Amino acid sequence: MGEERSTASQPARIVVVGGGVAGLEIASALGKRRDDGLIASVTLIDSDSAHVWKPMLHTIAAGTRDLAQQQTTYLAQAADAGFAYQPGEMCALDRVSKEVLLAPITAPDGREVVPGRRIAYDKLVLAIGSGANDFGTDGVLEHCFMIDTRRKADAFNQEIRLRMVRSMTQGEGLQVAIVGGGATGVELAAELVQLAESARAYGAIGEAARFGIVLVEAGPRLLPSFTEDISAATKRRLEALGVTVLVNERVQKATADGLVLGDGRTVNAGLRVWAAGVKAPEFLSTLGLQTTRGHQLVVNDHLRTDDPDIYAVGDCASFTLPGQSQPLPPTAQVAHQQARYLIDALPQVLRDPQAGSSERFAYRDMGALVSLANYDAYGSLGKFGLFNGGTIRGRLAMLSHLWLYRSHQARLYGFWRGGFLWLVDMMNSRLRPSIRLD
C-alpha cells in the first residue's frame, strides 16, 4: 500500500486539492484531529480565495444572495480548523517523489506574482470538482457565461446588473438564454425571475416584457434525474412565471447575439449561460491514473485511484456501485457522503493500513431537491427505510433545501457558530435589499 509515515515519530502529511463541498469538509475535520499523533499536517490547495456552497452559485449569479455573506474565506477557515491553506492551481503530479505541482500565480497584467511550487504529501485527496461541458459546441467558450465557480457566478452577476442599468436608462429589452435543463439551469431561471420582480419593485426596470428568460434543454424533459411528475410540474411552474421553456432542442452554435438551434432557428439573447453537462478538469487525464472520457478519476470502493496513496472524491471522481451500470452522479450529496467516509477512513488507514483497508464506501440515496427561488420547490425522497421514492413540494421542500445548506455550514463551523450565521442571514434578509444593488 505504499510507504507509511503515520507512525508515532513520523505522522502523515495530508494534502487536499480543491476547496469545494468535499475538500473543505475533509480539510476542516482532519485539521481538528491533528492532536491524535497520526497527522502531521493538513494542507488545502485551491486557486480561489474563498468557498461557496456549489448548489448556491445560481443565487450568487442572479444576485438574490450576497456573495460576501455566503462565502467562507479559506485563510480564516484554516486558522479556525487547524489546517494550512496554499493558494494555487494544481497543474501536474510527481508520483515518484509524492509532490503536487502548482502553476505560477500571475497578476491580471501577466506578471508572475508567485513562482511554481511543489507541495509534498503522504496521502493526497483530489477534490477538484467539475465544470460545465460545452461538448465542443461552436462559440460556447467565446459567447456564453458559465456559473460553475464562485468567480464565474460573480462575473455573470456583474454583467447582468450592467445590462439592467442599460435597460433602465436606454429602454432596451434584456433577454437571457440558459442552456441546460438540469438543476442548475432550472434554479437559475427561477432566480432570474425573482431578480426581475425585485428590480421592478426598486424601479430598476420597466414592464415585465423587457426582461425575458429562455431555458433550452436538449432532452425530452427538464430535470432528467428527477421523476417525470416533478419534471412536468417544474416546467409548468416556470412557464407560469414567464419563462419560455424549450425541450428537445439541441444548440448547435452560440453567437454574440444568441443561440442557433439544431434546426437552424435562432434564439435571440443578449446574455447566454451554458449550464449543460459536467466534466472534470482535463489535466487529470495526464496524471497516469485511470480516468473516464469526462476526465474523472476512476476510484474503487475505498475511494482510491490506481495509486493507493491518492484518493478522489466529489465531481472529479467516478465510482460505480456494485450491481449498477452508471457511476454516482456529480452532486453535493455524493460529495458530502464521500467526504464523511474519508474523514473516518483516513485516520484508520494511518493507524493500521490493513485494518483500515477493510472499510468500504457505501452510498445511501437521500433523494434530491430543486428550489425555484421563493416560488416553489420539489423533492424526491430516497429509496430506503420508510421512504421509497416519494415526492414532496412547497414549503416542506423549501425548508429541506435550506436545511442542506445549514447542515453544511454546521459541519464547517460547528453547531453554535453555524446557527448564529443562520440567525444573521435571517436578520439580513429583513434589513437589506432583496437583490444585490451595489
Side-chain angles (χ1 to χ4, degrees), residues 94-109:
D94 187 337
R95 291 169 54 197
V96 175
S97 60
K98 301 180 75 170
E99 292 177 322
V100 175
L101 279 64
L102 302 185
I105 299 176
T106 58
D109 60 6

Side-chain angles (χ1 to χ4, degrees), residues 98 110 127 292 383 389 400 406:
K98 301 180 75 170
T292 66
K383 299 180 180 180
S400 299
R406 299 308 176 184

Side-chain angles (χ1 to χ4, degrees), residues 215-222 235 245-250:
L215 179 61
V216 183
E217 165 57 32
R221 62 187 178 94
L222 302 179
K235 183 175 182 292
V245 179
L246 304 177
V247 295
N248 286 315
E249 296 287 359
R250 188 173 298 277

Side-chain angles (χ1 to χ4, degrees), residues 42-50 74-75 78 83-88:
V42 178
T43 301
L44 176 71
I45 298 171
D46 199 283
S47 59
D48 205 346
S49 60
Y74 291 128
L75 274 175
F83 63 86
Y85 162 63
Q86 285 282 351

Side-chain angles (χ1 to χ4, degrees), residues 425-432:
D425 280 349
M426 291 176 62
M427 294 174 62
N428 281 330
S429 67
R430 288 161 174 77
L431 298 175
R432 297 173 63 89

Side-chain angles (χ1 to χ4, degrees), residues 111-365:
R111 287 176 298 128
E112 184 177 285
V113 178
V114 179
R117 290 159 291 153
R118 288 174 171 256
I119 307 294
Y121 68 88
D122 295 300
K123 296 295 180 183
L124 176 64
V125 179
L126 297 176
I128 301 175
S130 65
N133 190 350
D134 66 355
F135 302 104
T137 306
D138 187 25
V140 170
L141 296 181
E142 295 83 2
H143 302 297
C144 293
F145 284 88
M146 296 182 184
I147 60 168
D148 46 42
T149 68
R150 182 187 75 102
R151 288 172 174 165
K152 291 178 181 179
D154 188 45
F156 173 78
N157 177 252
Q158 292 182 38
E159 182 64 23
I160 197 169
R161 286 188 291 116
L162 290 174
R163 299 296 183 95
M164 290 174 65
V165 169
R166 187 160 70 186
S167 177
M168 175 182 65
T169 58
Q170 303 298 317
E172 298 180 359
L174 174 60
Q175 180 144 292
V176 181
I178 304 168
V179 181
T184 299
V186 164
E187 292 182 327
L188 177 61
E191 293 292 337
L192 290 177
V193 172
Q194 183 173 322
L195 169 66
E197 290 190 352
S198 297
R200 282 193 293 274
Y202 287 114
I205 59 177
E207 297 299 322
R210 291 187 177 179
F211 195 114
I213 303 166
V214 180
L215 179 61
V216 183
E217 165 57 32
R221 62 187 178 94
L222 302 179
L223 302 174
S225 62
F226 286 74
T227 59
E228 290 192 17
D229 60 328
I230 289 180
S231 296
T234 300
K235 183 175 182 292
R236 289 193 300 269
R237 193 72 174 97
L238 286 176
E239 289 175 336
L241 292 171
V243 177
T244 300
V245 179
L246 304 177
V247 295
N248 286 315
E249 296 287 359
R250 188 173 298 277
V251 175
Q252 66 167 320
K253 183 179 181 180
T255 70
D257 301 314
L259 306 171
V260 179
L261 303 181
D263 59 4
R265 289 182 299 140
T266 299
V267 175
N268 295 320
L271 284 176
R272 301 147 303 279
V273 182
W274 192 271
V278 174
K279 68 175 181 179
E282 293 185 13
F283 85 90
L284 292 178
S285 296
T286 70
L287 303 183
L289 302 170
Q290 183 183 359
T291 57
T292 66
R293 292 180 60 184
H295 312 298
Q296 291 175 300
L297 293 163
V298 177
V299 297
N300 61 19
D301 52 11
H302 303 293
L303 304 184
R304 291 196 193 104
T305 65
D306 299 336
D307 188 319
D309 292 322
I310 300 176
Y311 299 77
V313 294
D315 292 4
C316 73
S318 176
F319 173 68
T320 303
L321 291 168
Q324 300 294 317
S325 59
Q326 296 295 323
L328 294 177
T331 64
Q333 175 187 175
V334 172
H336 163 63
Q337 291 191 35
Q338 291 179 335
R340 296 309 307 172
Y341 169 81
L342 280 190
I343 288 168
D344 293 331
L346 273 176
Q348 293 177 19
V349 170
L350 296 176
R351 185 175 295 107
D352 186 344
Q354 297 306 315
S357 65
S358 65
E359 300 292 334
R360 300 177 184 275
F361 171 68
Y363 172 71
R364 172 172 286 185
D365 182 5

